[in-house]
Amino acid sequence: MTHTTTRQSDGTILLTPRNESHQSATILICHGLGDTSEGFSDVATHLASKLPFAKFILPTAPTQKVTMNMGMAMPSWYDIVGLDKRSNEFCEGIDASQERLMELVKGEMDVGIARNRIVLAGFSQGGALSLYTGMQLPAGTPPLAGIVVMSGYLPHESGFKITKGLEDTPIWHGHGSVDPLVKMNMAKESVEKVKERGATNYTLKTYAGLAHSVNPQEVSDVLAFLQTVLPPDESCRIKLKDPSEMSIKELKGAIAKAGLGRKALGFSEKREFIDLVRDYRLGKL
């Protein structure tokens, strides 16, 4: 296997290269309404097998009431009142979810992954959030490597403004021709609105006969896009601090982040923590 899979207590799934020091890119995948990170774990595992240098982060949305679904509580990146143009302006909670994605991007940049080696991706509501967030990241650094939107749309249009310098971010959008939920005309209108605001690199691909879902051909096309915008580049690998140079606090933090807390139970010597972190990075666990 090319990656180590970690499931965190908040529902986030991490697929990390078995040798952590080989990571040179990061791909975040956001699930759709009512789903969790598990919904796209199989797709992420397949993509990871073809992109051994990429770390995958699959967060789970907070549980909240969704107006469109009769007020039922479910994992949702923001409230959805309806999918008509007027209702799509009411997206309570989208700012918090946008901030969460931005923090995840910043966290990867803090360990040495450049923003142009990061992709935001998502399905349906998750794709909408990825588009909304990716084109409005803070100015001052390069655009993302790309954005992947599967069966998604542009949410909260009135609050959407592309950050200067991010106009040429590559956007790939796949959509089923018979999608009964996010209809094809909504996808086309989203493309038009994003382009009106300055986007210059937006591709929309239609899949005949596909409803609100993804199929093997679309996954293959997503992989091709990722391989184009994230080619292998060893010069972009993260720079990790040697475990022997880390403090106990840093070692415990690395162990917690990797979801290895149980393996460290009963440790009393610093050497034990060092060896655990080192073995994890070398893909021995």
Side-chain angles (χ1 to χ4, degrees):
M1 293 181 65
T2 59
H3 287 67
T4 298
T5 301
T6 304
R7 285 172 165 80
Q8 298 182 329
S9 59
D10 65 354
T12 299
I13 297 176
L14 302 177
L15 279 70
T16 308
R18 290 194 67 82
N19 187 330
E20 193 178 10
S21 66
H22 287 180
Q23 181 194 347
S24 65
T26 302
I27 299 165
L28 286 82
I29 303 179
C30 297
H31 62 77
L33 176 67
D35 201 357
T36 68
S37 57
E38 295 290 349
F40 262 77
S41 61
D42 287 347
V43 171
T45 299
H46 170 69
L47 296 174
S49 71
K50 308 297 182 182
L51 298 162
F53 53 85
K55 174 183 177 181
F56 287 76
I57 303 176
L58 286 70
T60 290
T63 297
Q64 55 188 306
K65 294 181 179 179
V66 178
T67 303
M68 184 177 71
N69 288 353
M70 302 176 64
M72 292 179 59
M74 61 189 66
S76 179
W77 297 109
Y78 50 85
D79 186 29
I80 299 179
V81 175
L83 291 176
D84 58 279
K85 187 174 182 179
R86 181 177 180 181
S87 298
N88 190 37
E89 283 300 310
F90 301 96
C91 301
E92 184 177 351
I94 196 169
D95 291 341
S97 290
Q98 178 187 26
E99 182 63 27
R100 182 176 174 190
L101 281 196
M102 287 182 172
E103 285 298 315
L104 288 172
V105 169
K106 183 179 182 300
E108 291 304 294
M109 293 174 66
D110 286 346
V111 297
I113 298 297
R115 201 159 76 177
N116 60 6
R117 294 289 295 177
I118 299 175
V119 168
L120 291 186
F123 174 76
S124 192
Q125 188 192 44
L129 177 64
S130 295
L131 176 61
Y132 186 82
T133 302
M135 298 303 285
Q136 298 190 99
L137 291 172
T141 55
L144 293 169
I147 298 171
V148 174
V149 182
M150 295 170 279
S151 303
Y153 57 94
L154 175 65
H156 191 35
E157 180 191 327
S158 64
F160 179 75
K161 182 179 180 181
I162 296 176
T163 302
K164 187 175 181 180
L166 305 187
E167 296 88 352
D168 63 345
T169 304
I171 305 170
W172 187 92
H173 184 157
H175 215 96
S177 65
V178 293
D179 190 327
L181 297 178
V182 183
K183 298 183 183 297
M184 196 65 225
N185 67 328
M186 188 173 186
K188 292 179 178 178
E189 288 178 5
S190 294
V191 175
E192 291 176 3
K193 295 302 181 183
V194 174
K195 286 185 174 180
E196 284 177 5
R197 283 163 172 75
T200 61
N201 193 358
Y202 198 131
T203 300
L204 174 63
K205 182 167 183 177
T206 304
Y207 294 86
L210 181 65
H212 195 62
S213 183
V214 298
N215 60 19
Q217 183 57 57
E218 184 174 4
V219 173
S220 178
D221 291 340
V222 169
L223 174 60
F225 174 77
L226 293 174
Q227 290 174 325
T228 298
V229 300
L230 289 174
D233 189 342
E234 292 185 6
S235 69
C236 296
R237 286 180 175 178
I238 59 175
K239 305 296 189 294
L240 296 174
K241 190 174 183 180
D242 189 285
S244 65
E245 299 176 354
M246 298 169 71
S247 66
I248 285 289
K249 182 178 180 180
E250 289 174 324
L251 289 165
K252 288 183 176 180
I255 289 169
K257 183 179 179 181
L260 300 174
R262 290 185 178 181
K263 290 185 177 294
L265 290 176
F267 282 6
S268 58
E269 300 293 331
K270 183 177 181 180
R271 170 52 57 185
E272 294 175 298
F273 293 98
I274 291 173
D275 289 344
L276 180 59
V277 172
R278 182 168 286 147
D279 287 347
Y280 171 71
R281 289 182 178 177
L282 293 175
K284 293 182 178 181
L285 301 181

